[in-house]
Amino acid sequence: LRKLLDEDIDELYTEEALQFKKELLLQTIEQLPPKQKEIYSLHKIQNLSYKEIALIANLSHKTIANHIYLAQKFIEKKLANH
């Protein structure tokens, strides 16, 4: 019984921790400059390719890659303390 309770507690803790990290990530994405936020969200949340985003945003593939790179570095820096 104790083992089952411990497993339930571990699972609950893991779910809470994952939910906290998800909320923190979403809050951090909201802090991105508008164009980076749009492009990062299209790629990471809506799973669009760089090519698809370039067509939608009327920007070059290299510009899309740069926006995603800068957004990822910003997010990594913000989340490094958590």
Side-chain angles (χ1 to χ4, degrees):
L1 180 60
R2 179 71 181 158
K3 184 178 178 183
L4 288 175
L5 289 174
D6 287 344
E7 288 173 2
D8 287 345
I9 291 170
D10 288 345
E11 185 176 323
L12 180 61
Y13 174 77
T14 302
E15 288 176 24
E16 287 178 2
L18 289 174
Q19 185 62 33
F20 174 78
K21 288 180 182 182
K22 181 180 176 182
E23 289 298 322
L24 190 59
L25 176 59
L26 291 174
Q27 290 171 7
T28 304
I29 291 170
E30 288 297 318
Q31 295 174 26
L32 290 168
K35 189 53 93 174
Q36 277 184 20
K37 179 177 135 182
E38 174 189 6
I39 291 170
Y40 185 83
S41 296
L42 287 171
H43 182 61
K44 295 294 185 175
I45 297 172
Q46 296 185 24
N47 297 316
L48 297 182
S49 69
Y50 286 20
K51 183 177 180 178
E52 291 170 317
I53 298 167
L55 290 172
I56 291 168
N58 198 27
L59 297 170
S60 72
H61 183 277
K62 187 165 179 77
T63 300
I64 299 303
N66 190 48
H67 276 295
I68 292 170
Y69 173 80
L70 293 173
Q72 190 64 45
K73 289 298 171 193
F74 176 84
I75 292 167
E76 288 172 5
K77 184 177 178 183
K78 287 285 190 174
L79 298 181
N81 298 328
H82 294 282

